[in-house]
């Protein structure tokens, strides 16, 4: 097991800066999710850890070792891809065993030279990986005779069998259907709890990040936006990008202005309270971006904000109500069935603890 540290790491492809001055310390044993939209540089960051991409600038370390110039085969990492890349002509047993046949390992202690494993040692490791990933009944089958989820587990077992210091995973669930994805998320967390290996996991799916990560690193356009536990990035997003990337539906963000008496925020259709615990209130008259999550808007006849309902979507356990505030469309989450209808007026209340304020120019959090 090992930590992974990006120290001012950049990666440029000609004019394109795929990763821009990344500083990120991934702790030993952590399940770190690199999260962001397509093209934000998360795969490039992962490939730099694997040694599949050169580093243009900065220093990348695995444990105490700077690995900028270390060959991928010497980094002691395993990578699981979106396409499982199993050998179709080999049994599950042989697929899992395959990395052990080509690589040498420091089995006799780090001071002794690495060597190839014996047949008995290989069998023992394959048996352990198969047990951990519930693959014992399938060892004699070929991949074609397995379900998508079982194939994914074989790919994980093959990564696990070399007992790497770091597991790298690039969107490993994206080929699975929704039900299997949900199940495999739980299995991955259980696997991580059992083996305790550092995991760096790349996805654009914020649900995967929120459910599996010990910490999430949110990226946009090559830059790290925020790193924190899922609870931290949800509760205190540092800018409007993170606010709107985390959460489904995303946080409502709309224009407001600090009222003349400074006690409230004026928005189209009414006012909202200033956030609780605001350190420095912007001057009266300042333009602000207000953020409120859909679950924090409460339908309340005496609420301070009036909106007109545009649509009501019933999802079974809850309704999503769309309404307009000026040019922005906001979404309100209501448990169960809704009595609201399109075209109707509605009043909303928000607790000050659930109001977020951002600077409309920099997009950064004010409070
Ligand atoms: P996705 O989820 O679509 O894979 P990503 O967030 O993983 O996206 P990267 O694959 O890391 O993003 O790409 C980051 C940026 O670098 C993109 O603008 C991409 O076009 C560019 N890029 C990646 N690889 C190369 C390459 N080999 N040559 C030139 N540009 C590249």
């Amino acid at each position: 097991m090992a930590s992974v540290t990006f120290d001012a790491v950049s990666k440029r492809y000609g004019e394109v800066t795929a990763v821009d001055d990344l500083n990120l310390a991934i702790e030993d044993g952590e399940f770190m999710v690199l999260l962001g939209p397509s093209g934000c540089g998360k795969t490039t960051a992962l490939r730099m850890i694997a040694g599949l991409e050169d580093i243009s600038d900065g220093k990348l370390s695995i444990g105490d070792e700077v690995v900028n110039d270390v060959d991928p085969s010497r980094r002691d990492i395993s990578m699981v891809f979106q396409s499982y890349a199993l050998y179709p002509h080999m049994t599950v047993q042989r697929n899992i065993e395959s990395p052990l046949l080509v690589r040498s390992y420091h089995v006799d202690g780090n001071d002794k030279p690495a060597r190839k494993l014996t047949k008995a040692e290989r069998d023992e490791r394959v048996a352990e990986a198969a047990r951990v990933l519930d693959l014992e009944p399938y060892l004699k089958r070929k991949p074609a005779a397995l379900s998508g989820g079982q194939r994914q587990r074989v790919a994980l077992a093959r990564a696990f069998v070399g007992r790497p210091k770091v597991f790298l995973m690039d969107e490993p669930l994206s080929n699975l259907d929704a039900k299997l994805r949900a199940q495999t998320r739980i299995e991955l967390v259980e696997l991580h709890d059992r083996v305790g290996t550092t995991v760096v996991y790349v996805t654009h799916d914020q649900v995967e990040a929120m459910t599996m990560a010990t910490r999430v690193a949110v990226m946009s356009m090559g830059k790290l936006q925020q790193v924190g536990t899922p609870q931290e990035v949800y509760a205190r997003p540092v800018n409007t990008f993170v606010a709107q990337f985390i959460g489904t539906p995303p946080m409502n963000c709309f224009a407001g202005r600090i009222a003349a008496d400074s006690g409230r925020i004026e928005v189209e259709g009414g006012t909202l309270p200033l956030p609780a615990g605001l350190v420095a209130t912007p001057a009266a008259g300042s333009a602000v971006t207000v953020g409120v999550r859909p679950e924090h808007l409460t339908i309340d006849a005496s609420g301070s904000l009036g909106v007109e309902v545009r649509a009501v979507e019933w999802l079974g356990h809850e309704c999503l109500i769309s309404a307009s505030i000026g040019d922005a469309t906001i979404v309100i989450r209501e448990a169960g069935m809704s009595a609201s209808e399109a075209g109707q007026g509605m009043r909303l209340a928000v607790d000050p603890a659930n109001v977020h304020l951002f600077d409309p120019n920099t997009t950064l959090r004010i409070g």
Side-chain angles (χ1 to χ4, degrees):
M1 291 196 286
S3 58
V4 177
T5 311
F6 288 88
D7 183 1
V9 169
S10 295
K11 172 69 189 177
R12 287 181 288 276
Y13 298 102
E15 297 286 286
V16 178
T17 303
V19 173
D20 191 358
D21 194 23
L22 177 61
N23 288 290
L24 179 64
I26 302 168
E27 287 163 24
D28 189 4
E30 190 163 26
F31 195 128
M32 173 67 81
V33 175
L34 305 184
L35 173 70
S38 182
C40 73
K42 54 197 187 297
T43 298
T44 304
L46 196 78
R47 288 173 60 83
M48 285 194 282
I49 304 174
L52 301 174
E53 298 289 348
D54 291 336
I55 293 166
S56 311
D57 255 325
K59 218 166 59 178
L60 177 68
S61 310
I62 299 179
D64 295 333
E65 187 183 13
V66 176
V67 294
N68 287 37
D69 299 318
V70 174
D71 192 72
S73 64
R74 285 205 44 248
R75 293 190 185 198
D76 220 353
I77 50 103
S78 281
M79 191 149 171
V80 180
F81 298 93
Q82 178 176 345
S83 61
Y84 320 133
L86 300 178
Y87 298 111
H89 58 287
M90 289 185 190
T91 61
V92 168
Q93 164 101 27
R94 290 286 285 176
N95 264 287
I96 299 175
E97 188 185 14
S98 57
L100 305 182
L101 292 166
V102 293
R103 281 197 51 194
S104 298
Y105 295 87
H106 285 280
V107 271
D108 308 313
N110 275 339
D111 46 340
K112 300 271 169 27
R115 64 164 172 84
K116 292 276 170 61
L117 300 183
T118 64
K119 170 90 171 67
E121 286 168 335
R122 293 198 306 268
D123 286 350
E124 187 197 318
R125 287 204 183 192
V126 172
E128 185 197 9
R131 184 174 47 74
V132 167
L133 283 144
D134 287 331
L135 287 167
E136 284 159 321
Y138 313 110
L139 285 171
K140 299 280 167 273
R141 290 197 199 171
K142 301 257 175 76
L146 298 177
S147 71
Q150 289 161 346
R151 280 180 220 167
Q152 180 58 281
R153 294 215 299 278
V154 177
L156 289 170
R158 191 177 53 183
F160 172 77
V161 79
R163 297 181 191 157
K165 284 189 195 153
V166 184
F167 261 130
L168 305 179
M169 302 195 195
D170 192 357
E171 310 245 4
L173 307 187
S174 48
N175 282 343
L176 305 180
D177 64 38
K179 193 168 163 214
L180 204 49
R181 246 194 335 257
Q183 192 182 319
T184 313
R185 285 203 305 259
I186 294 170
E187 286 172 1
L188 277 176
V189 171
E190 285 174 350
L191 177 67
H192 177 252
D193 288 348
R194 242 175 296 168
V195 300
T197 309
T198 312
V199 173
V200 188
Y201 185 108
V202 159
T203 183
H204 63 271
D205 181 344
Q206 57 97 26
V207 175
E208 286 178 19
M210 298 301 273
T211 52
M212 294 193 290
T214 48
R215 284 194 304 159
V216 186
V218 186
M219 295 181 69
S220 169
M221 297 195 289
K223 284 190 187 293
L224 179 64
Q225 305 291 311
Q226 183 169 9
V227 57
T229 64
Q231 292 77 8
E232 282 163 357
V233 291
Y234 179 83
R236 286 190 68 79
V238 294
N239 57 28
T240 51
F241 175 82
V242 178
Q244 297 195 291
F245 200 75
I246 303 278
T248 340
M251 183 185 283
N252 298 304
C253 287
F254 46 93
R257 188 169 293 282
I258 304 295
D261 65 6
S262 261
R264 299 194 55 92
I265 312 159
E266 289 170 350
V267 297
E268 190 97 14
T271 68
L272 289 173
L274 285 168
L278 196 59
V279 180
T281 307
S286 310
V288 289
T289 300
V290 186
V292 186
R293 293 208 176 275
E295 53 274 37
H296 293 148
L297 285 162
T298 314
I299 300 167
D300 179 343
S302 59
S304 59
L305 178 62
V307 293
E308 185 178 309
V309 176
R310 289 179 55 194
V312 180
E313 295 171 284
W314 181 62
L315 303 177
H317 63 298
E318 65 178 11
C319 287
L320 298 178
I321 303 170
S322 299
S324 306
I325 291 189
D327 296 339
T329 298
I330 62 161
V331 176
I332 303 128
R333 187 173 240 154
E334 187 181 6
M337 286 287 268
S338 178
S340 310
E341 283 175 19
Q344 200 182 40
M346 170 190 272
R347 296 206 74 79
L348 301 169
V350 189
D351 189 300
N354 295 324
V355 178
H356 305 255
L357 271 194
F358 303 95
D359 183 319
N361 298 316
T362 63
T363 80
L364 294 177
R365 181 182 194 85
I366 302 169

